[in-house]
Every structure is written in C-alpha cells, then in structure tokens.
Amino acid sequence: RLFEKKIIDFFSTFVRLHPQGPAVAAKRLLLGTLGTRALHHTPLRLMLSVLVNFDGAGAVTPSECISICLQFFNHILGRMPVSSRSVISALFLKVMEHLCQSEDPTAEVDVDAATAVAAAIPDALLEDLLPLLAAWARKCMGPKASTLLVELLSGLASASGAQAL
C-alpha cells in the first residue's frame, strides 16, 4: 500500500503542478506510460485512477483518442495479467472519455476507426465494457453518435449492444 500511495502521489503531483496545466500533463503522463515497453499493470492502474479524477478534459482530439485506444487494446492490454484486464480496461475507457475533446458537430466521424477500437476489445470483456464504450463513442464521435453507435455496436454483442445505448 505504501508503494501505491507513493506512485499515486507522484502522478497526482505531476498532473496538478505541471506548468502547462493538467490537460497537457494528463496527456503526457498517459502517452509516456503507454509508451513504456515493459509496462506493469499496477503503475498503469494507478496512473489511470489518478487521471480519471483530474480535470484533463480536452487533452486529446477525437482522432488522437481513437489512435491511443487502438494502441492500448491491440498492443498493451494483451500483456496485462488476465485477472487485471477488466479493471484496467474499464478505467482506461473512463479516462479516454474524460480526456477526449467533444467532436465538432460539423466534423466527419471516422466510424471505421471507432469500430476498430470496439473490435480490438477482447470478447471476454466486451459485454461488461459496452456502457463505457458507448459513453466514450458518444463523446469521441459527437452528436451524430446515437445513430452511428447502433452501427458500431451491432453484431459485437447484439443483445447487449442495444441495451448499452
């Protein structure tokens, strides 16, 4: 517990006192942590638990958000112990929804890229993550999301997909 407290204090201090503000700090901390080759699940979980509680809204653009999500689900999550994947994935989607800028209502939404994110989520986790995935997609994809979410979630977990909306 002492180790975890020290790590949380370090991450919190970095984000809170960063000279360019919490949004820039949150993005740098997230990208720096995810860019580590030998990433252990405990520091990742602690970093995500810190970022979900900080005001880092708007730290990443929707396209950056999709790219980070693809990197996480395709390359990082699989290296985590199976027992920690559910907790880490849920925290990750909460953080990404929190940090993502709301999409410009006039912008074109990349449904294929968002679908790739959903498809990268392991089947064993998908049903539990559907509400979080739907919330992330609404924020990342903007106001057109309700129609596009049906397309995105159909077939992934068909019975649960409609309920998540």
Side-chain angles (χ1 to χ4, degrees), residues 88-99:
I88 289 173
S89 295
L91 269 172
F92 178 78
L93 282 173
K94 287 177 187 175
V95 167
M96 293 314 297
E97 179 201 358
H98 181 64
L99 296 182

Side-chain angles (χ1 to χ4, degrees), residues 30 48 51-52 54 56-61 65-66 68-69 89-103 131-141:
L30 178 68
L48 292 171
L51 292 184
V52 81
F54 267 93
V60 294
T61 65
C65 187
I66 289 170
I68 293 167
C69 287
S89 295
L91 269 172
F92 178 78
L93 282 173
K94 287 177 187 175
V95 167
M96 293 314 297
E97 179 201 358
H98 181 64
L99 296 182
C100 188
Q101 297 171 4
S102 293
E103 181 60 73
L132 296 171
L133 182 63
W136 166 81
R138 276 188 206 98
K139 176 98 178 260
C140 190
M141 295 167 54

Side-chain angles (χ1 to χ4, degrees), residues 20-36:
Q20 293 176 307
V24 170
K27 180 178 179 179
R28 286 187 179 172
L29 182 58
L30 178 68
L31 294 176
T33 303
L34 294 180
T36 304

Side-chain angles (χ1 to χ4, degrees), residues 12-44:
S12 296
T13 302
F14 177 80
V15 174
R16 189 176 60 252
L17 298 178
H18 195 279
Q20 293 176 307
V24 170
K27 180 178 179 179
R28 286 187 179 172
L29 182 58
L30 178 68
L31 294 176
T33 303
L34 294 180
T36 304
R37 271 189 206 210
L39 181 58
H40 190 271
H41 64 95
T42 300
L44 176 60

Side-chain angles (χ1 to χ4, degrees), residues 31 34-36 66-77:
L31 294 176
L34 294 180
T36 304
I66 289 170
S67 176
I68 293 167
C69 287
L70 285 171
Q71 175 192 4
F72 176 79
F73 287 113
N74 283 325
H75 304 291
I76 295 170
L77 185 63

